[in-house]
Amino acid sequence: MKWLYQRLKSYEHLFEKGAKFEKLYPLYEAVLTIHFSTTETTKRGAHVRDGLDTKRFMILVVIALLPVTLFGIYNAGYQSYLAAGMTGSIIDYIIKGVIIFMPILLTSYAVGGLWEVLFAIIRKHEINEGFLVSGLLFPLTLPPTIPLWQVALGISFGIVVGKEVFGGTGKNFLNPALTARAFVYFSYPAYLSGNVWTSFMSGQSVVSSYSSATPLGIAANTAQPNNAMTAISDAGFSLMDCFLGLIPGSVGETSVLLCLVGAAILIGTGVGSWRTMVSCVLGVVAMAGLFNLVATETTIPFLEVTPIWHLFIGSFAFGAVFMATDPVSSPDLNASKWIYGFLIGVLTVIIRAVNPAYPEGVMLAILLMNIFAPLIDFYVAENKVKKRIPNAI
Amino acid sequence: MKTLNRIKSKKKFKITFDGQPDNALSVIPTPNEVGLSPVNYKFIKAKVIVKVGDAVQKGQALFFDKKNPQVYFHSPVSGVVKDIVYGPQRRLEQVVISECSDEKALQFQAFDSSNATQLQVVSALLERGLFNEFRSRPFNNIPSPEEKPSSIIVQLSNPEPFHARLSAVIDDVEADIIEGLQLLNKLTEKVIAFADANEQMNLDAIATHSQLVRVDGDFSICDSASVLYKLKEDAAENNAWTCDWQSLVKIARTLKSNEYYNQRYIAVGGNQKDDNQHYQIVEGTPVANIITKKESSDRLIFGGLFSGVHTSHNDYVPLQSDSINIIDSDPQAEFMSFLQPGFDKPSFTTAYFSGFLNQFRPTPVSTSVNGSERDCVSCGHCEAVCPVDTLPQTMLRNIKGNDVEEAMRFGLLDCSNCGVCTYVCPSKIDLSSIFADAKAKLFEEVNA
């Protein structure tokens, strides 16, 4: 690989200060450092440095996302076949899934990357690896039927308004992928609710036994005196189906099992905060438990949904593992993460159960808590300062 | 001050580095030329009182600190002043003395410390050029001789890779350290000595003359600033003085022999494994007299891997240095290194496989930054390793926003500049230098 390195290095003079392509230096830097590690040595401070850099940090998130992504592709194809009443081999499902999902993913990366590069060149900052994660997270939260122009608009809003206007990765206070998703959700509600969760094959009629409703949608639409959980079971979704994930839904969010695999990778490598994940679960359990206690035959049926169902349906698992743990938009301090995660769990259940307009509460809960993260940090830090013996002049 | 005898740390920074010096000791004879460099005294404004060509005696004053005009630095050898080197802004870089010999030393008046008062001890130290062995918290400057410290904290081990170890020479110097501690007891009510719990040595005799604290944790906890932070009970104790065991040896031997004691122990650590041992040198000995092998790709560091200063083969060992580290400084570009399992990547995290192996083997060292600088992503690693429980991310924001008052509330002045936050940062932000600069600015403002 030495020849490639020397080749890349031989172009460096074109991008240096005062040279012809000076403005494109961030692009050159990104291409070089994606291929080869930097040969920079320490100038000040500690003479030795840790091997971990932001590239590795972000790539580990992408690796943790691979299981849900691959499964999402398979499931998108599988649901499509199921809806048409056909059966195919695993290969057929995967090919169909790739055809459904790849255009969404590529649009997201291409348009998001364009904005990232544009801002890097104009604002003269490096191209940040964080976009590799945002560009993958966003498509995973979308239904397979999403029009590509909405993907492009959504990721543009997420990258520009959610991140770049504040100065880029590290200075944003909202999760860019969720900002993108929220933009699409509120701008084009028809495309993100109703029968959008399965990509139907053209020329094939949908078999009558197939319902493309998600368990969450079913629970939200249950009317008294029916029981929400019975309604989900009657629609053919067992708790196990929801756990394994072979059900309609957003591409990446259906499988709780594979979200757990992702969580194991994130926690094992120290990239994701286990505190946030655990406290999210605790929040859901606490709030759903509380609702179960007050639920009667005259209250909203969603109040009766038990904690375990709350944890397994919708995109809670995906949100808690991959979205809530985004280090930039979550609070800095470990103690704050407990509060932050717990409130995400609580808000998720409240929004799901009490607000019938938004059956999926995770997205809004996380975005809302992103906004409160600095406030939580402030009080936790003040509390820490109180315990210190003052040292000031 | 808490009367603890053991400090145990809960911080996560558990990583050992390759290239530890062994306990062997060689004596380097008096060199032909020495260079006295005050680089380790960050805040002094040196005024040289000798001229090029002057003959000087061992123990004769060479320069003093204009900010602290009673504090003089003395010549460790007799000889002729060959050169006085100034750096930018006329900062004294070094005074070079040639034709060095150990003979013809200036004789100080005999001093009997047994009945001496605090003032007598201070003036005896000032007269012999020994007062500059002390530093004062929180800025690590030379204290004012008029000040009475709330406590003096003596560092008996410095486990930062790789400093000279007391355990290598304790049999020779134990009696001197005890004499030194007795003297310190005249300067303050509270003398605290601390040592690494993992360094094998018998300190029972030392414990009878001080509050001996064994520190169980990584090197950043085993540091005067961290020990002060762990022991203090009141804001009045913040201005403690610090010194290390070599200072006590120098003070005790100078007072005993009435001649300036010019020897120092240093350790050589790092890549050149066959040279990694302890040496006894004259202060200001040229590096070339100690390290004979030379490779252009190596970096030489005076002091530890985390807080030392960059140097070269042509330099002289600066005052108060007790180690030279030699590490590889020629990082190779690796193809897609962020996708590799990384068995050889040094890391305290488990983001690379090496993180799982840290407790079983020492990590190889190099000067590679291992990444490019980015904005803070709030990963929280710095908070997890800070020995004095500051909030480095918050302080970084405060300092960037020019709000140093706020940074002080979060513990800026408790910071020991151990450099561990800089080491762990995945965004490659040099936190400890940013904090050091903020403190230096504050010091200049306070002492303007």
Side-chain angles (χ1 to χ4, degrees):
Chain A
M1 282 298 158
K2 214 160 175 88
W3 62 270
L4 181 62
Y5 182 66
Q6 276 158 1
R7 196 65 192 261
L8 281 169
K9 269 280 177 196
S10 71
Y11 295 125
E12 193 172 17
H13 68 276
L14 292 174
F15 300 93
E16 277 165 356
K17 259 211 161 65
K20 206 171 168 187
F21 301 115
E22 178 194 345
K23 288 207 159 128
L24 297 179
Y25 184 78
L27 198 59
Y28 172 77
E29 198 251 18
V31 171
L32 183 69
T33 56
I34 277 204
H35 289 91
F36 291 97
S37 61
T38 155
T39 56
E40 205 185 328
T41 55
T42 50
K43 301 282 179 300
R44 278 190 76 195
H47 292 270
V48 288
R49 299 290 164 87
D50 200 272
L52 176 65
D53 65 348
T54 45
K55 268 199 184 60
R56 176 71 172 188
F57 203 90
M58 297 302 175
I59 275 297
L60 285 172
V61 183
V62 173
I63 291 172
L65 278 167
L66 278 182
V68 290
T69 311
L70 296 176
F71 178 80
I73 289 173
Y74 171 81
N75 188 40
Y78 173 73
Q79 295 296 334
S80 190
Y81 269 82
L82 210 61
M86 306 195 301
T87 48
S89 66
I90 293 177
I91 306 289
D92 291 335
Y93 297 153
I94 291 174
I95 290 171
K96 181 71 188 158
V98 167
I99 294 170
I100 296 169
F101 183 64
M102 270 305 150
I104 304 177
L105 181 68
L106 292 178
T107 309
S108 166
Y109 268 139
V111 178
L114 196 71
W115 284 112
E116 183 79 32
V117 171
L118 202 65
F119 269 87
I121 289 171
I122 294 171
R123 302 283 285 267
K124 299 187 177 60
H125 64 66
E126 313 79 14
I127 293 172
N128 199 296
E129 301 75 20
F131 124 85
L132 291 177
V133 177
S134 306
L136 176 59
L137 274 175
F138 175 55
L140 291 177
T141 65
L142 296 174
T145 55
I146 189 97
L148 294 184
W149 60 271
Q150 282 183 21
V151 178
L153 265 182
I155 194 74
S156 299
F157 188 85
I159 297 283
V160 176
V161 178
K163 188 171 92 171
E164 289 297 342
V165 292
F166 299 105
T169 305
K171 299 200 173 88
N172 52 311
F173 63 92
L174 291 174
N175 185 320
L178 273 184
T179 314
R181 153 96 193 189
F183 175 80
V184 178
Y185 182 81
F186 286 110
S187 305
Y188 310 102
Y191 293 92
L192 274 92
S193 50
N195 279 345
V196 300
W197 305 103
T198 308
S199 172
F200 299 123
M201 288 188 224
S202 52
Q204 298 278 345
S205 56
V206 178
V207 293
S208 58
S209 65
Y210 186 81
S211 155
S212 89
T214 62
L216 203 58
I218 295 165
N221 289 328
T222 311
Q224 281 296 3
N226 298 318
N227 180 300
M229 286 177 293
T230 324
I232 298 173
S233 303
D234 289 348
F237 301 119
S238 69
L239 203 55
M240 199 43 137
D241 291 334
C242 296
F243 180 69
L244 295 178
L246 280 171
I247 52 171
S250 294
V251 177
E253 67 177 32
T254 55
S255 174
V256 176
L257 175 68
L258 292 175
C259 286
L260 286 176
V261 172
I265 296 173
L266 288 181
I267 293 171
T269 55
V271 170
S273 166
W274 61 271
R275 292 177 180 87
T276 307
M277 299 184 203
V278 170
S279 55
C280 279
V281 172
L282 291 178
V284 165
V285 171
M287 198 63 218
L290 195 67
F291 274 159
N292 288 171
L293 287 180
V294 298
T296 62
E297 281 182 10
T298 51
T299 53
I300 311 165
F302 216 134
L303 296 187
E304 292 165 4
V305 174
T306 51
I308 188 90
W309 276 98
H310 268 292
L311 295 176
F312 283 8
I313 60 176
S315 51
F316 170 76
F318 186 81
V321 171
F322 297 108
M323 295 288 192
T325 56
D326 168 23
V328 181
S329 55
S330 60
D332 296 357
L333 307 173
N334 283 338
S336 322
K337 283 178 182 152
W338 286 106
I339 304 171
Y340 164 83
F342 189 80
L343 289 179
I344 286 177
V346 167
L347 280 173
T348 300
V349 175
I350 293 177
I351 297 171
R352 274 181 181 178
V354 181
N355 190 339
Y358 308 124
E360 185 41 286
V362 188
M363 173 185 78
L364 294 173
I366 295 174
L367 281 174
L368 203 59
M369 289 318 295
N370 279 173
I371 293 167
F372 280 101
L375 188 70
I376 302 172
D377 262 342
F378 175 80
Y379 283 109
V380 170
E382 285 305 309
N383 199 33
K384 285 197 166 209
V385 166
K386 261 185 225 151
K387 288 180 197 151
R388 288 192 88 86
I389 296 162
N391 190 353
I393 44 157
Chain B
M1 290 281 180
K2 293 173 199 155
T3 51
L4 298 175
N5 288 109
R6 195 171 182 89
I7 295 173
K8 195 161 165 49
S9 151
K10 292 189 203 106
K11 293 289 172 172
K12 288 184 194 150
F13 191 71
K14 303 235 160 33
I15 178 165
T16 52
F17 293 94
D18 205 10
Q20 169 103 349
D22 60 36
N23 277 357
L25 179 74
S26 312
V27 179
I28 307 272
T30 307
N32 291 327
E33 202 171 273
V34 300
L36 302 172
S37 156
V39 63
N40 285 332
Y41 295 91
K42 198 170 172 182
F43 296 112
I44 67 163
K45 206 164 162 56
K47 168 84 178 152
V48 184
I49 53 171
V50 291
K51 287 195 293 293
V52 174
D54 284 1
V56 291
Q57 271 183 292
K58 177 181 173 185
Q60 183 184 331
L62 295 178
F63 56 91
F64 69 97
D65 179 12
K66 271 192 190 168
K67 289 183 184 162
N68 214 346
Q70 288 168 285
V71 177
Y72 282 83
F73 293 77
H74 291 221
S75 174
V77 289
S78 300
V80 178
V81 179
K82 185 188 168 198
D83 200 3
I84 298 170
V85 187
Y86 289 99
Q89 295 170 326
R90 225 178 145 68
R91 250 189 93 84
L92 179 67
E93 284 191 345
Q94 57 206 13
V95 178
V96 184
I97 295 166
S98 59
E99 299 168 40
C100 299
S101 84
D102 223 5
E103 317 279 296
K104 291 184 284 180
L106 199 68
Q107 293 294 313
F108 300 115
Q109 255 181 10
F111 177 72
D112 178 19
S113 65
S114 52
N115 292 317
T117 63
Q118 187 217 347
L119 280 179
Q120 284 167 330
V121 173
V122 169
S123 64
L125 294 176
L126 284 169
E127 190 193 333
R128 288 159 180 79
L130 298 170
F131 196 77
N132 58 37
E133 296 295 325
F134 297 115
R135 301 302 185 88
S136 165
R137 290 298 304 162
F139 294 108
N140 225 19
N141 53 321
I142 305 172
S144 155
E146 278 95 40
E147 176 188 317
K148 188 169 194 244
S150 55
S151 61
I152 299 180
I153 302 177
V154 182
Q155 181 158 25
L156 298 177
S157 345
N158 191 346
E160 179 191 0
F162 299 103
H163 285 273
R165 290 190 303 274
L166 174 58
S167 51
V169 293
I170 189 161
D171 293 341
D172 298 338
V173 298
E174 191 180 12
D176 301 294
I177 289 175
I178 289 168
E179 276 178 42
L181 287 171
Q182 285 168 338
L183 201 74
L184 295 191
N185 276 307
K186 293 183 181 294
L187 294 176
T188 179
E189 262 101 60
K190 188 91 191 162
V191 177
I192 295 158
F194 67 93
D196 183 2
N198 301 317
E199 192 170 339
Q200 300 294 325
M201 52 187 171
N202 182 352
L203 298 172
D204 294 346
I206 287 170
T208 59
H209 297 277
S210 63
Q211 175 187 341
L212 182 71
V213 183
R214 283 290 200 163
V215 184
D216 190 358
D218 69 80
F219 78 83
S220 61
I221 312 281
C222 194
D223 175 275
S224 323
S226 310
V227 169
L228 173 62
Y229 168 77
K230 296 276 183 197
L231 294 183
K232 70 178 179 182
E233 287 179 310
D234 187 84
E237 291 165 340
N238 282 324
N239 70 335
W241 290 5
T242 64
C243 70
D244 74 345
W245 61 273
Q246 296 224 43
S247 302
L248 293 186
V249 173
K250 183 172 168 184
I251 289 171
R253 291 196 175 165
T254 302
L255 289 178
K256 202 162 24 182
S257 68
N258 299 319
E259 232 179 67
Y260 188 88
Y261 179 73
N262 64 5
Q263 303 285 309
R264 230 184 136 73
Y265 298 104
I266 68 159
V268 173
N271 292 352
Q272 291 190 345
K273 295 222 170 104
D274 28 342
D275 278 349
N276 288 355
Q277 58 158 97
H278 285 66
Y279 295 89
Q280 188 179 342
I281 60 162
V282 170
E283 283 181 344
T285 295
V287 172
N289 285 29
I290 306 162
I291 294 155
T292 40
K293 268 186 278 173
K294 185 175 171 179
E295 264 180 62
S296 57
S297 64
D298 285 342
R299 174 183 293 189
L300 262 67
I301 300 161
F302 289 134
L305 294 180
F306 287 75
S307 62
V309 291
H310 205 152
T311 181
S312 78
H313 268 95
N314 309 322
D315 269 336
Y316 307 89
V317 178
L319 297 170
Q320 283 211 329
S321 279
D322 64 355
S323 64
I324 302 175
N325 278 292
I326 309 162
I327 57 175
D328 182 38
S329 189
D330 185 23
Q332 300 296 318
E334 285 172 65
F335 186 65
M336 300 261 169
S337 71
F338 59 90
L339 283 178
Q340 290 165 7
F343 289 104
D344 292 325
K345 278 260 179 192
S347 187
F348 101 107
T349 68
T350 46
Y352 287 101
F353 270 106
S354 63
F356 295 102
L357 305 170
N358 281 336
Q359 41 185 324
F360 306 111
R361 60 164 203 198
T363 302
V365 288
S366 90
T367 61
S368 173
V369 182
N370 292 318
S372 4
E373 191 167 335
R374 295 284 186 263
D375 282 321
C376 171
V377 292
S378 307
C379 65
H381 288 163
C382 48
E383 186 204 346
V385 296
C386 179
V388 294
D389 305 324
T390 65
L391 308 176
Q393 299 166 42
T394 317
M395 294 203 305
L396 175 71
R397 263 171 238 154
N398 295 150
I399 290 168
K400 293 250 157 153
N402 257 329
D403 192 354
V404 78
E405 297 291 326
E406 198 66 11
M408 279 196 282
R409 291 180 61 231
F410 292 116
L412 178 66
L413 293 186
D414 287 328
C415 165
S416 61
N417 282 105
C418 62
V420 178
C421 50
T422 297
Y423 177 86
V424 301
C425 182
S427 294
K428 309 299 168 193
I429 300 169
D430 189 357
L431 289 158
S432 82
S433 297
I434 291 169
F435 300 150
D437 290 347
K439 279 192 281 184
K441 203 173 148 204
L442 208 57
F443 180 81
E444 300 296 345
E445 278 168 18
V446 172
N447 294 282

